[in-house]
């Protein structure tokens, strides 16, 4: 028929951090379908100093993705980005003008997005259209154990990975 039964609003399913400098072996070792490091609420800070892309995975195809509907802010203000949407994978790739530095970040997706059927984006994950998606994360380069500090404990984590290849049993 002419009418669709799709009444579910599109939503963000996952957010990943990645880098154009990371090897495919390193990305594969993260276990996130070859995308990068899955970011989850409550995770410790990201320990890398070379994250230059964020990937936003939507539940379905959406219209209206780009600048300024996807925005990244640090504790210093708006971060310069270029947002590219891939309609085949339902992913927005947030390309950063420079890698993420030590800071607190907020990734936001506006509630103006819609799916093919016109259902409004569910940014606040309450099951109904509307609401801005807000995702907070921190970056603390060198914080291998992700406890928010860089100290001797991190050296212990790193030293176990010396002379190891990404994906090997001793690589962390």
């Amino acid at each position: 028929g002419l009418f669709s039964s799709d009444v579910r609003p599109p939503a963000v399913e996952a957010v990943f951090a990645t880098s154009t400098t990371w090897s495919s072996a390193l990305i594969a070792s993260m276990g996130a379908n070859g995308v990068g490091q899955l970011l989850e609420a409550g995770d410790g800070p990201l320990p890398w100093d070379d994250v230059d892309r964020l990937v936003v995975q939507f539940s379905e195809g959406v219209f209206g993705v780009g600048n300024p509907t996807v925005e990244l802010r640090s504790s210093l203000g708006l971060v310069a980005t270029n947002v590219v949407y891939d309609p085949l994978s339902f992913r927005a790739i947030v390309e950063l003008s420079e890698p993420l530095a030590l800071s607190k970040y907020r990734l936001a997706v506006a509630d103006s997005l819609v799916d093919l059927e016109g259902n409004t984006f569910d940014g606040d994950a309450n099951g109904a259209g509307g609401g801005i998606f807000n995702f907070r994360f921190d970056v603390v380069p060198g914080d291998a154990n992700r406890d928010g500090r860089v100290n001797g404990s991190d050296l212990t984590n790193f030293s176990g990975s010396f002379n190891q290849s990404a994906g090997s049993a001793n690589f962390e």
Side-chain angles (χ1 to χ4, degrees):
L2 294 173
F3 300 100
S4 171
S5 60
D6 178 15
V7 295
R8 289 173 302 130
V12 171
E13 290 186 334
V15 177
F16 301 91
T18 190
S19 175
T20 55
T21 65
W22 292 354
S23 70
S24 57
L26 175 60
I27 292 172
S29 74
M30 295 176 178
N33 298 320
V35 179
Q37 177 65 50
L38 176 65
L39 303 180
E40 297 186 273
D43 278 353
L46 291 176
W48 304 288
D49 65 357
D50 58 353
V51 171
D52 59 7
R53 290 182 179 206
L54 299 173
V55 178
V56 180
Q57 178 69 59
F58 292 96
S59 59
E60 60 182 291
V62 291
F63 294 100
V65 176
N67 299 69
T69 56
V70 178
E71 175 181 276
L72 181 64
R73 290 189 172 272
S74 75
S75 51
L76 301 175
L78 190 63
V79 176
T81 62
N82 179 48
V83 180
V84 178
Y85 180 68
D86 178 0
L88 298 178
S89 65
F90 312 143
R91 291 179 180 156
I93 296 89
V94 182
E95 301 170 339
L96 309 171
S97 60
E98 58 185 48
L100 297 176
L102 173 67
S103 193
K104 297 179 182 302
Y105 291 91
R106 181 178 61 87
L107 177 69
V109 179
D111 60 359
S112 59
L113 306 180
V114 295
D115 67 8
L116 182 64
E117 302 300 324
N119 297 313
T120 305
F121 174 67
D122 177 15
D124 54 12
N126 68 357
I132 296 172
F133 174 79
N134 282 298
F135 186 80
R136 271 257 317 108
F137 65 97
D138 299 331
V139 174
V140 179
D143 182 15
N145 65 6
R146 300 178 78 180
D147 67 356
R149 297 182 309 271
V150 179
N151 55 30
S153 298
D154 300 299
L155 180 58
T156 302
N157 280 38
F158 279 129
S159 65
S161 298
F162 289 152
N163 295 318
Q164 301 296 318
S165 297
S168 69
N170 293 326
F171 184 82
E172 289 189 34

